[in-house]
Amino acid sequence: KQEVTQIPAALSVPEGENLVLNCSFTDSAIYNLQWFRQDPGKGLTSLLLIQSSQREQTSGRLNASLDKSSGRSTLYIAASQPGDSATYLCAVETGANSKLTFGKGITLSVRP
Amino acid sequence: GAGVSQSPRYKVAKRGQDVALRCDPISGHVSLFWYQQALGQGPEFLTYFQNEAQLDKSGLPSDRFFAERPEGSVSTLKIQRTQQEDSAVYLCASSTRTGFGYTFGSGTRLTVV
């Protein structure tokens, strides 16, 4: 059974800091890995999608990497801003029915 | 439509009531998923449709939960005789096909009192 872990559960940093959010998964037979952002009381916004054949994806200040063999992904946020404060979830797509398995998320707080 | 639309956004139900949650996926998206997200947790898989066929319902927590997608577009998640433990955010997601990622709706927050 696929399990996804995100540690720590919460993180607080000062504005302007570069930071890395980690995600690990137990079964490397994945189609892709997706990073989402969730604001309080809201749905999920897709940030980056990395196919299993890819090593990384970039969008603006965000860069996500994937090491499928070791079951790890990182989300790098450059020059963090208070508006980046949210919960960040990673999810892997696996199996015949392409089910997504999520981690519990990392709640990020960027202090002005 | 431009995105995945879910209604209602909020639902308060008295224990024992039946509720129906609606999901309108992106037009042309073949795959549709329902997830349940408890407070402070990541979303958990409930059920999956490919067009009108429900291919996986292994995540439905009890036989009080029922989902349908009769014409392969709009889907309804029905919960009968709601219990307090059903309180959660119910998220719907759709995709064109396997491996291309998912677009999520804003969710329905269900509170059972």
Side-chain angles (χ1 to χ4, degrees):
Chain A
K1 178 187 172 184
Q2 178 75 267
E3 292 182 1
V4 179
T5 303
Q6 293 184 255
I7 296 173
L11 187 62
S12 179
V13 300
E15 182 176 5
E17 192 162 297
N18 301 324
L19 58 103
V20 173
L21 306 182
N22 294 305
C23 172
S24 62
F25 49 95
T26 55
D27 184 353
S28 62
I30 64 171
Y31 293 119
N32 58 53
L33 183 144
Q34 202 163 355
W35 281 93
F36 294 90
R37 169 181 172 142
Q38 187 171 36
D39 292 286
K42 305 289 186 181
L44 304 179
T45 300
S46 180
L47 297 174
L48 290 165
L49 170 69
I50 312 176
Q51 299 290 351
S52 61
S53 58
Q54 297 174 322
R55 298 284 297 194
E56 66 178 335
Q57 283 288 328
T58 298
S59 176
R61 294 183 294 108
L62 305 180
N63 175 278
S65 68
L66 173 64
D67 184 341
K68 201 173 73 161
S69 61
S70 68
R72 293 180 184 176
S73 176
T74 61
L75 178 66
Y76 174 82
I77 303 176
S80 59
Q81 303 170 358
D84 295 330
S85 298
T87 296
Y88 292 81
L89 294 143
C90 76
V92 292
E93 184 177 336
T94 56
N97 290 334
S98 300
K99 163 177 359 181
L100 285 179
T101 303
F102 284 84
K104 292 185 178 182
I106 298 173
T107 299
L108 172 66
S109 174
V110 181
R111 307 187 300 272
Chain B
V4 178
S5 178
Q6 291 188 248
S7 61
R9 284 283 286 121
Y10 303 93
K11 176 70 179 177
V12 178
K14 291 184 178 179
R15 193 168 54 184
Q17 273 186 334
D18 297 349
V19 298
L21 312 180
R22 177 188 169 104
C23 173
D24 201 339
I26 293 173
S27 178
H29 276 199
V30 169
S31 300
L32 185 147
F33 287 78
W34 284 97
Y35 287 82
Q36 180 190 56
Q37 186 176 24
L39 192 63
Q41 303 294 315
E44 296 278 346
F45 169 80
L46 291 177
T47 187
Y48 162 62
F49 289 87
Q50 185 171 322
N51 295 307
E52 69 279 4
Q54 188 175 21
L55 299 185
D56 188 344
K57 54 182 181 179
S58 62
L60 296 176
S62 78
D63 58 8
R64 296 185 295 103
F65 286 71
F66 172 76
E68 60 183 4
R69 194 185 184 197
E71 297 178 359
S73 55
V74 171
S75 177
T76 304
L77 176 66
K78 297 179 180 177
I79 309 173
Q80 297 176 325
R81 304 181 305 280
T82 51
Q83 303 294 317
Q84 278 194 315
E85 61 263 29
D86 300 335
S87 296
V89 175
Y90 290 85
L91 294 163
C92 175
S94 71
S95 174
T96 51
R97 54 191 171 112
T98 299
F100 281 73
Y102 289 87
T103 302
F104 279 80
S106 298
T108 294
R109 179 177 296 278
L110 173 66
T111 303
V112 182
V113 297

